[in-house]
Amino acid sequence: MSTPALREEKSAAPEKSNQNPANLSQLLESYGSLSPYIGADHAFYEHHLLYDRVIDPAVASAREQFEAFSRSIRDILAQRWVSTKKTYEQQNAKRVYYLSLEFLIGRSLANNVSNLLLDPAVQQAAEAKGLDWLGLIEQEPDAGLGNGGLGRLAACFLDSMAMMQIPATGYGLRYEYGMFRQTIANGWQQENPDNWLRDGDPWEVARHHEKVEVKLNCSFQLRAGNIETVRDRPSTLIGIPFDRPVVGYGGKTINTLRLWTAAAPDYFDFKEFGTGDFVGALSDTLEAESLTRVLYPDDSTTAGQGLRFLQEYFLVACSLADIIRRFKRYNTDWEKLPEKVAIQLNDTHPSMAVAELLRLLLDDAHLGWDQAWELTKKTLAYTNHTLLPEALEKWPVAWFDVLIPRHLEIIYEINRRLLDEVRVRFPGDNGRVERVSLVEEGERRKIRMANLAIVGSHSTNGVAAVHSRLLRTTTVKDLAEVFPDRFNNKTNGVTPRRWLLQANPALGQEITQAIGKEWVTDLSRLKELRRFAEDGGFREAFLASKRQAKQRFADWLQSTTGQIIDPGTLFDCHVKRIHEYKRQLLNALRIIVVYNRLRSNPELDVVPRTFIFAGKAAPAYRLAKLIIKFLNNLGATIDADPVVKGRLKVLFVPEYNVSLAERLIPASDVSNQISTAGYEASGTSNMKFMMNGALTVGTRDGATIEMAEEAGEENLFLFGLTVEQVVNSRSWYSPYWHYDHDAETREALDLIFSDHFSPDEPGIFAPLRETLLTMGDHYMHLADLKSYCEAHHQVGILYADPEAWAKKAILNVASSGKFSSDRTIAEYASDIWKVEPCPVI
Ligand SMILES: *Cc1c(COP(=O)(O)O)cnc(C)c1O
């Protein structure tokens, strides 16, 4: 293969010239000459083994093969990466900066190869070389720099912005340890460190010369093993950027994800020795290095820890210093800042950007308050991700005071002006003044970070229609009434490249055969599949692709864990963070109801099901960890019961991450999206499942509502209380009513309480009784159990008719176009950022 074999990809190259390569040979020229990299001699692959690693290519380990291969791919994109950067500079293009404490990117090799349209060529090259391509891909650790949906959204957005040729940079932290690796021991979750950078990472490029300084008004010292702050003794942290390529589909644009690592300043303060304060000097280094050591493994509650506060400020300070430095290189007029820079705050985590940007404009640029304030608001925009009160960040005033007192001063001044305005506009409304204030009064005064983000930006968006409405009408109602024009909705999306094209090649090929390949960059085209729902041949092809994905998953599971599951059964999946509001317990109760029915009537005709759970619990969230234990015990009990053998199987697959989601979602028949209505802001796995032809059993919550609007309610299995019903029944809801009046509910609960699932550990599930009964069942599991069981009964009936099943599933795929993150990004670009594509020249 002297020229890369990109055969099929010619027709695959998307047509729209403004977004996509007009012509593949042009594209390849722009990569530089490819043949030395992946041609017959694979010179560069071997070059990397020999000269980077100094080993004989013939004896390279799989890990070394992966590194060398990834480096070769990075070589291919390097030139394009540089020209992307150069184009943005030459055009002085308006840029988007996406600030996020989390980027759940997963693996990069296969994604980059696919987005560069090098799929067949690279695979063939690897195989010609005698390399095991699939095994090689498995060598890459997941970059798990996030907890769940919020971090994955940031990663999908980067993919979409690069595909759409939007000048965008992601800013985050380069955690040395990502999300913990989950193992299960005796049914319990164990957390293991995820040292993903141990062997280095072939994608990142360290940019030491672009380091920035972050100044704090305190120092740190070790005392009796604890790190203490010393106020009014300023210290400096260094932020070193590490860049990762973000390959846009088609390879025209290579954007950058810039992750910061904390370090101590190069200089060593010898004065410290002179004064005998040796520990003081040393602990600067200790603290600096530990700052970006670890991701906080909690997706929805504020950990309330000073280190997290410092991480947030460090990300903001490094990123804004970098952004302003770049702005100043190409612009002289500060008024132009909002015309050149759009900064999106992914949740409140980076919302100190309000005070930091204002500080830079006031103290460094010496602008007056009014101008600095207007520029700050016009530059920043904020995305809210949750209505859970415990997840709305509030940081102690005392921490600002010790670490960044100037920011506190600025926040107080913002607040003074805000409250003055509110008093004028809403005379006598003291309650409102108290509620909109940036400061929560009390014994320990706190700064309300969501209020700061809303007041200091021009846009606040929720992530699904219902969520945006609730945000506006309940959570921050008072502020929304003060600034009604700032509030808007941007329903989340996921990238169809990773979640359909790459994750589900069998279905992807069937779709392309039916309607062409344009869907990859314009997912709305999937609606053309609607008519294929009536086509028997296509239905058969759809079912075959599903069988293939299920078999693939079953094979993977057996080869990695030894567990055997039957791809002939219905795969009934519930995968996401373990949290009470996501109601894995409701699903468990439903399974027990079916189990009880079979125990009392073994002849009962039910569709054989494999229930697949996966997800991590925050290490400090005891009930969530108990739920994992319960799911494992439920599985073990059911496995051991001959009555249900071959008909029910419950599986908890450990270590849920992006790669597991990519394997499991295509193999799913049913997607459970069963949060208590009003609690799931959007959800994104619901969208991934829909795209992959699973049918949704769900509550009317988050984006699931919009999925039903797109597909028609008759093509989903919706059940349960609505948002309004949940709110209106709060005051009188009693789980005991359901326990007393519904026999199946009572029998399911009694079976748990009787230690049927914990014969060797009596009483361990007592906390489940507390949460579901004694403490009032806050998430209303029992209220929804009956209708949930009924919905799944209907699922079983439909599954027995494969033609009817396939028809519904195809209609779901055909209706999933809205849920591409390309659509979401197009909305952010036109409504919030006012940014245009900037094609690379
Ligand atoms: C998509 C995704 C999520 C988000 O899932 P939800 O069910 O929407 O909460 C979390 N984790 C991973 C690994 C994902 O891929």
Side-chain angles (χ1 to χ4, degrees):
M1 36 177 283
S2 50
T3 52
L6 288 153
R7 30 169 199 84
E8 289 170 0
E9 302 298 325
K10 253 184 193 123
S11 61
E15 301 300 302
K16 275 189 282 167
S17 59
N18 64 329
Q19 289 188 348
N20 298 299
N23 156 337
L24 257 224
S25 53
Q26 262 178 14
L27 170 66
L28 291 176
E29 273 167 37
S30 71
Y31 293 155
S33 170
L34 273 173
S35 42
Y37 298 95
I38 56 171
D41 55 351
H42 315 294
F44 275 69
Y45 164 73
E46 300 191 333
H47 179 104
H48 283 297
L49 285 173
L50 189 57
Y51 298 107
D52 295 355
R53 280 290 180 156
V54 195
I55 48 161
D56 176 359
V59 302
S61 69
R63 164 72 205 192
E64 288 158 339
Q65 292 173 352
F66 152 73
E67 278 173 22
F69 219 97
S70 300
R71 274 294 162 84
S72 317
I73 300 296
R74 204 183 80 181
D75 294 341
I76 293 174
L77 59 81
Q79 208 162 69
R80 195 70 187 171
W81 198 4
V82 170
S83 2
T84 303
K85 188 172 169 223
K86 229 155 78 187
T87 300
Y88 297 162
E89 288 168 359
Q90 282 166 0
Q91 312 268 312
N92 194 11
K94 178 163 187 177
R95 302 176 188 241
V96 175
Y97 296 107
Y98 198 81
L99 267 60
S100 180
L101 263 285
E102 302 189 10
F103 285 92
L104 193 51
I105 39 196
R107 288 176 173 156
S108 295
L109 176 54
N111 184 252
N112 289 347
V113 165
S114 170
N115 279 358
L116 289 168
L117 312 182
L118 292 174
D119 250 344
V122 163
Q123 272 178 56
Q124 284 162 20
E127 276 150 27
K129 199 72 207 157
L131 301 177
D132 164 16
W133 174 243
L134 292 179
L136 196 142
I137 286 174
E138 290 297 311
Q139 288 299 313
E140 182 170 12
D142 261 53
L145 311 184
N147 276 282
L150 174 146
R152 184 54 231 175
L153 183 78
C156 283
F157 279 6
L158 292 183
D159 181 85
S160 285
M161 291 190 287
M163 186 284 279
M164 296 161 83
Q165 306 190 351
I166 293 175
T169 302
Y171 277 113
L173 294 183
R174 182 176 172 271
Y175 303 107
E176 217 172 296
Y177 294 85
M179 189 59 188
F180 66 82
R181 277 188 311 100
Q182 180 194 56
T183 51
I184 302 295
N186 186 32
W188 295 99
Q189 167 176 294
Q190 312 283 314
E191 299 105 22
N192 312 281
D194 167 39
N195 192 358
W196 72 293
L197 287 171
R198 184 180 41 218
D199 300 323
D201 181 89
W203 301 105
E204 66 180 15
V205 183
R207 309 272 191 205
H208 289 277
H209 60 287
E210 293 189 59
K211 68 184 184 214
V212 298
E213 289 194 348
V214 176
K215 293 193 185 320
L216 301 170
N217 196 48
C218 65
S219 303
F220 305 91
Q221 67 180 25
L222 272 177
R223 185 155 294 165
N226 292 318
I227 293 176
E228 294 180 352
T229 52
V230 185
R231 54 185 312 149
D232 299 324
R233 194 181 72 175
S235 63
T236 302
L237 289 169
I238 302 296
I240 302 167
F242 285 71
D243 289 351
R244 310 174 67 83
V246 181
V247 179
Y249 184 76
K252 293 202 100 182
T253 291
I254 317 281
N255 280 335
T256 298
L257 170 57
R258 173 160 279 197
L259 302 178
W260 299 100
T261 278
D266 295 337
Y267 59 84
F268 195 80
D269 195 348
F270 287 98
K271 244 185 19 237
E272 303 281 0
F273 280 109
T275 62
D277 194 357
F278 172 71
V279 170
L282 187 66
S283 61
D284 274 358
T285 319
L286 290 176
E287 180 64 19
E289 286 170 354
S290 59
L291 183 56
T292 48
R293 188 95 74 208
V294 62
L295 166 81
Y296 271 78
D298 196 320
D299 69 329
S300 58
T301 58
T302 52
Q305 294 187 37
L307 188 60
R308 168 72 176 194
F309 177 80
L310 196 50
Q311 282 185 340
E312 293 184 353
Y313 179 63
F314 182 72
L315 169 64
V316 162
C318 290
S319 307
L320 282 179
D322 203 33
I323 291 167
I324 294 297
R325 178 170 63 190
R326 190 174 300 117
F327 172 78
K328 278 170 48 180
R329 220 164 26 235
Y330 304 99
N331 302 275
T332 48
D333 181 2
W334 284 107
E335 272 302 306
K336 289 234 169 347
L337 186 68
E339 289 167 40
K340 295 296 174 189
V341 174
I343 299 174
Q344 192 69 33
L345 308 176
N346 196 25
D347 214 329
T348 53
H349 314 149
S351 59
M352 287 176 221
V354 173
E356 175 71 359
L357 182 53
L358 200 45
R359 184 187 69 82
L360 291 168
L361 295 175
L362 291 169
D363 298 354
D364 292 0
H366 306 293
L367 304 184
W369 179 278
D370 290 340
Q371 189 189 11
W373 179 233
E374 285 307 310
L375 292 176
T376 297
K377 284 190 292 184
K378 284 183 184 159
T379 304
L380 299 178
Y382 157 60
T383 303
N384 174 280
H385 280 273
T386 177
L387 307 174
L388 291 180
E390 66 269 30
L392 289 177
E393 288 187 301
K394 291 171 196 161
W395 292 122
V397 163
W399 294 0
F400 283 89
D401 194 30
V402 170
L403 258 78
I404 43 176
R406 175 62 179 147
H407 295 74
L408 184 59
E409 205 169 73
I410 287 172
I411 290 170
Y412 281 155
E413 180 59 13
I414 298 171
N415 201 37
R416 189 185 66 76
R417 289 166 181 252
L418 168 73
L419 300 187
D420 280 353
E421 181 187 340
V422 172
R423 285 192 192 99
V424 170
R425 286 177 53 191
F426 301 85
D429 193 348
N430 291 330
R432 180 185 304 269
V433 171
E434 192 280 315
R435 290 187 298 268
V436 302
S437 175
L438 305 187
V439 183
E440 182 181 271
E441 301 296 339
E443 215 158 280
R444 209 175 177 212
R445 299 171 77 232
K446 290 177 177 167
I447 303 299
R448 296 166 169 153
M449 302 309 283
N451 291 25
L452 177 64
I454 293 165
V455 171
S457 66
H458 67 281
S459 166
T460 294
N461 74 282
V463 289
V466 65
H467 165 70
S468 294
R469 176 169 65 79
L470 293 172
L471 180 68
R472 214 168 13 81
T473 56
T474 63
T475 314
V476 291
K477 179 170 185 284
D478 297 282
L479 269 177
E481 285 165 5
V482 179
F483 306 113
D485 300 341
R486 291 187 192 176
F487 284 75
N488 66 94
N489 173 246
K490 297 286 169 280
T491 299
N492 282 167
V494 301
T495 169
R497 269 76 63 187
R498 186 178 286 262
W499 295 109
L500 183 48
L501 181 71
Q502 293 153 33
N504 199 341
L507 179 58
Q509 273 156 28
E510 292 305 334
I511 295 171
T512 297
Q513 263 192 13
I515 64 169
K517 201 161 182 186
E518 287 72 23
W519 63 270
V520 174
T521 50
D522 176 6
L523 205 67
S524 70
R525 300 292 279 270
L526 286 184
K527 61 179 174 291
E528 293 162 25
L529 276 181
R530 282 190 162 274
R531 60 195 173 88
F532 287 90
E534 305 300 328
D535 179 328
F538 189 79
R539 285 201 294 261
E540 187 40 53
F542 170 83
L543 292 172
S545 73
K546 184 60 76 181
R547 268 196 302 276
Q548 191 180 323
K550 289 169 79 171
Q551 187 66 56
R552 255 176 68 168
F553 180 75
D555 291 345
W556 170 82
L557 188 72
Q558 184 171 8
S559 69
T560 54
T561 70
Q563 302 214 60
I564 296 175
I565 54 174
D566 177 3
T569 61
L570 186 160
F571 284 6
D572 189 337
C573 300
H574 197 173
V575 295
K576 50 184 75 245
R577 285 300 291 250
I578 309 294
H579 201 289
E580 286 165 277
Y581 87 79
K582 290 175 181 281
R583 295 202 294 191
Q584 282 88 1
L585 273 182
L586 175 59
N587 198 345
L589 289 172
R590 183 256 307 194
I591 294 168
I592 298 171
V593 168
V594 177
Y595 174 56
N596 276 338
R597 286 178 192 166
L598 284 171
R599 291 192 324 143
S600 58
N601 180 5
E603 305 305 313
L604 196 66
D605 186 24
V606 298
V607 168
R609 297 195 196 215
T610 304
F611 304 96
I612 303 176
F613 290 91
K616 293 175 185 176
Y621 191 169
R622 293 179 60 177
L623 192 67
K625 293 173 87 167
L626 186 66
I627 291 170
I628 292 176
K629 167 69 172 166
F630 183 67
L631 294 171
N632 279 300
N633 278 27
L634 179 65
T637 306
I638 284 182
D639 267 353
D641 194 330
V643 175
V644 293
K645 191 145 193 67
R647 303 205 279 176
L648 303 183
K649 180 164 183 65
V650 181
L651 196 68
F652 186 92
V653 186
E655 183 53 9
Y656 185 52
N657 60 15
V658 171
S659 293
L660 178 55
E662 285 169 3
R663 279 183 233 286
L664 178 57
I665 291 172
S668 302
D669 295 304
V670 167
S671 158
N672 286 277
Q673 305 295 336
I674 61 173
S675 51
T676 315
Y679 284 84
E680 188 70 89
S682 162
T684 48
S685 78
N686 45 359
M687 305 168 182
K688 300 168 194 164
F689 280 103
M690 184 189 201
M691 265 173 216
N692 281 279
L695 295 186
T696 301
V697 178
T699 46
R700 291 171 179 83
D701 200 15
T704 303
I705 296 175
E706 290 162 72
M707 284 162 42
E709 278 168 18
E710 294 297 301
E713 277 220 6
E714 70 281 9
N715 290 311
L716 280 79
F717 296 88
L718 298 188
F719 72 94
L721 300 181
T722 62
V723 169
E724 279 67 32
Q725 289 168 329
V726 167
V727 170
N728 293 333
S729 57
R730 266 269 167 252
S731 60
W732 50 263
Y733 171 70
S734 165
Y736 284 104
W737 190 92
H738 298 277
Y739 182 82
D740 292 337
H741 290 82
D742 186 70
E744 288 196 313
T745 298
R746 185 171 57 252
E747 284 156 17
L749 287 167
D750 285 346
L751 200 60
I752 303 175
F753 306 154
S754 75
D755 283 317
H756 183 79
F757 303 105
S758 45
D760 304 329
E761 301 154 290
I764 56 163
F765 296 127
L768 300 186
R769 177 200 286 266
E770 281 163 31
T771 185
L772 292 172
L773 283 176
T774 338
M775 307 290 285
D777 187 19
H778 182 73
Y779 293 101
M780 301 190 171
H781 297 79
L782 301 199
D784 281 347
L785 179 56
K786 215 174 150 76
S787 58
Y788 182 43
C789 290
E790 175 53 27
H792 267 291
H793 181 65
Q794 297 302 323
V795 166
I797 292 171
L798 186 71
Y799 194 73
D801 180 352
E803 290 283 304
W805 181 276
K807 190 172 154 184
K808 263 203 201 326
I810 292 164
L811 286 174
N812 269 273
V813 177
S815 309
S816 67
K818 174 175 175 183
F819 304 104
S820 165
S821 45
D822 303 342
R823 188 268 315 148
T824 315
I825 287 299
E827 292 177 9
Y828 275 91
S830 74
D831 302 349
I832 301 177
W833 304 330
K834 319 282 183 208
V835 69
E836 300 283 333
C838 177
V840 176
I841 39 181

